[in-house]
Amino acid sequence: MNRLRKMRPTYILISAFIVTLIVGTFLLMLPVSVTGRPPWPYPLETPPFEYGPQFDGGAPFSVAFFTATSATAVTGLAVVDTATYFSPFGQTIIAVLIQLGGIGTMTIVTLVAMVLARRSDMRTRVVASASVSGVGLGNVRRVVSGVVILTVTVETILAFTLLLRYIFLGDSFKTALGKASFHAISAFNNAGFALSTNSLMDFATDPWIILPISIGIIIGGLGFPALLAFYRCGAHWWRWPMTTRLVFVGTISLLLSGWLFFAVAEWNNPNTLGTAKDSAGKILMAFFASITPRTAGFNSIDVGSMTDISRVMTDMLMFIGGGPGGTAGGVKITTAFVIGFVVWSEMRGGRAVNILGLRLPRSAQRQALTVMSLSSIAVMAGTMLIMVQTTANLDQALFESVSAFATVGLSTGITPTLPESSQIVLIVLMIIGRLGPLTIATALALRTTPLTYELPKDRPLIG
């Protein structure tokens, strides 16, 4: 335990992210990483983000840095067309960056959860032990191996399923294997990178493509701690720790409510669900529209053609994200639901906050409020900066900012046309979104030096 504390997980995470980002940027700048084709197969109103040095026809520093950041942060936002701009070598580098970003986050968060379980009081240990039992703090290797085994297993099954479908659609084995492997990695890690210019819009009503990718997104977004607890405890609800209860209940409720919302809001929109030939296709498209904001970034419908209210709903789903310790971004389901239960308890005049049969400690309430507040400030600041620097309206600027911060990758289509300054804003938001809430929560949770004094108590007027 002392050894793990000395490792300072937040510093390890930040250092690993920076090193991965530097190496990835360099590799994507190599001439072998690009095809030499134009950034996009269609004309843009303004030149794409292509500033900075480059190596003998390779990707400019700006393109390589943005792409490496988006991949390592498992976001999926792109300033060039991944399918045509990058060569198979470049696409492989992107897949590796996505894999490292996803596995690294899952590992660090799980180790932090183990520390917290051992530092809690006896009552909390009994509850929390379900998610970390059998894994000693000194045996970090077992945690890493567990994350890797889960990742490889899910991605292999997903890739095999997609491989068969791509071959059936007429692709050669080599092409189908490349597509299947890339999309399996991108889906499980909630990255959203796709090897087609219009993401998955060509397969919007194809359940053999959409459903496997959806399953990969959901599993990756649940988080390793929740999956580990479910594996050890099975369906015995009363043995689940609070994190697992919140993640599963929150995921199901958000997916179902989003599915129903998008079906109703977009059913008659001729540019989104209206493109499907039958009701089954519309239902599948609405289902995928509810899954991708959490936070995969694939899209089977044109986000720019969605109704305004649907984009607002997408903003909300993106901001919440998935479960902690997984590949999803956002403030996390646990953070959002904790704040919701705190508000509900306060409205009812309760003295304690009880969540799904367990009592919430006050420290967790403060941590959730801190993460939510700082995250909101980051998104608002990014939105205002983009609006100042461009002609984008509030809807577009907010959507891009939330997508970057929540590491989603969905876009209204303006990302490639943004000026350099706005692209830098998105880069900063992606880094903050991937490292910020996690490092803040970890720092608060692992704080070991309590205050030795208390100031006089007073109560301000609220509201």
Side-chain angles (χ1 to χ4, degrees), residues 281-399:
K282 292 184 177 181
I283 292 174
L284 182 62
M285 293 168 72
F287 174 69
F288 198 63
S290 177
I291 288 178
T292 52
R294 316 262 330 288
T295 55
F298 294 106
N299 64 286
S300 62
I301 60 178
D302 183 8
V303 175
S305 299
M306 294 172 66
T307 59
D308 292 340
I309 190 172
S310 292
R311 279 199 292 272
V312 173
M313 181 64 173
T314 304
D315 287 336
M316 295 172 58
L317 292 176
M318 290 192 299
F319 188 73
I320 293 174
T327 57
V331 297
K332 303 297 184 294
I333 292 175
T334 47
T335 301
F337 273 69
V338 161
I339 291 179
F341 276 103
V342 170
V343 172
W344 176 249
S345 178
E346 186 67 23
M347 291 175 61
R348 298 180 60 189
R351 299 185 60 182
V353 179
N354 300 316
I355 300 179
L356 304 177
L358 296 171
R359 180 166 57 86
L360 182 72
R362 293 187 180 276
S363 59
Q365 301 175 35
R366 295 192 298 268
Q367 292 164 17
L369 180 61
T370 301
V371 171
M372 180 67 75
S373 300
L374 294 178
S375 300
S376 300
I377 292 173
V379 169
M380 288 188 292
T383 301
M384 290 188 291
L385 286 174
I386 292 177
M387 292 182 67
V388 169
Q389 298 166 359
T390 68
T391 58
N393 57 37
L394 175 60
D395 177 28
Q396 294 173 320
L398 178 62
F399 194 96

Side-chain angles (χ1 to χ4, degrees), residues 141-298:
R141 185 177 301 175
R142 292 189 61 183
V143 176
V144 177
S145 63
V147 171
V148 172
I149 291 173
L150 171 68
T151 301
V152 173
T153 302
V154 174
E155 290 178 356
T156 301
I157 296 174
L158 180 56
F160 180 74
T161 305
L162 295 176
L163 172 65
L164 297 179
R165 183 56 176 169
Y166 284 130
I167 292 177
F168 179 82
L169 293 175
D171 289 332
S172 66
F173 179 81
K174 181 179 180 180
T175 301
L177 181 61
K179 288 183 178 179
S181 301
F182 187 93
H183 289 146
I185 293 173
S186 185
F188 177 75
N189 289 284
N190 281 224
F193 280 94
L195 295 183
S196 55
T197 303
N198 57 3
S199 191
L200 299 181
M201 292 177 62
D202 292 339
F203 308 99
T205 58
D206 187 344
W208 296 101
I209 296 291
I210 297 299
L211 292 181
I213 289 180
S214 299
I215 293 173
I217 293 170
I218 293 173
I219 294 176
L222 289 175
F224 186 73
L227 292 172
L228 179 60
F230 181 77
Y231 171 76
R232 296 187 180 282
C233 304
H236 300 144
W237 167 272
W238 60 91
R239 294 177 57 192
W240 289 4
M242 185 180 293
T243 295
T244 306
R245 301 185 188 190
L246 284 173
V247 167
F248 276 89
V249 171
T251 297
I252 294 174
S253 60
L254 289 176
L255 286 181
L256 293 179
S257 59
W259 188 3
L260 177 62
F261 181 92
F262 287 118
V264 173
E266 299 291 329
W267 192 268
N268 295 317
N269 187 338
N271 298 316
T272 55
L273 301 191
T275 59
K277 297 180 180 179
D278 52 30
S279 298
K282 292 184 177 181
I283 292 174
L284 182 62
M285 293 168 72
F287 174 69
F288 198 63
S290 177
I291 288 178
T292 52
R294 316 262 330 288
T295 55
F298 294 106

Side-chain angles (χ1 to χ4, degrees), residues 16-17 19 26 29 35 107 127 158 166 309 326 331 369 376 436 457:
F17 186 91
V19 171
F26 172 77
M29 291 180 68
T35 61
T107 301
V127 177
L158 180 56
Y166 284 130
I309 190 172
V331 297
L369 180 61
S376 300
K457 183 182 295 186

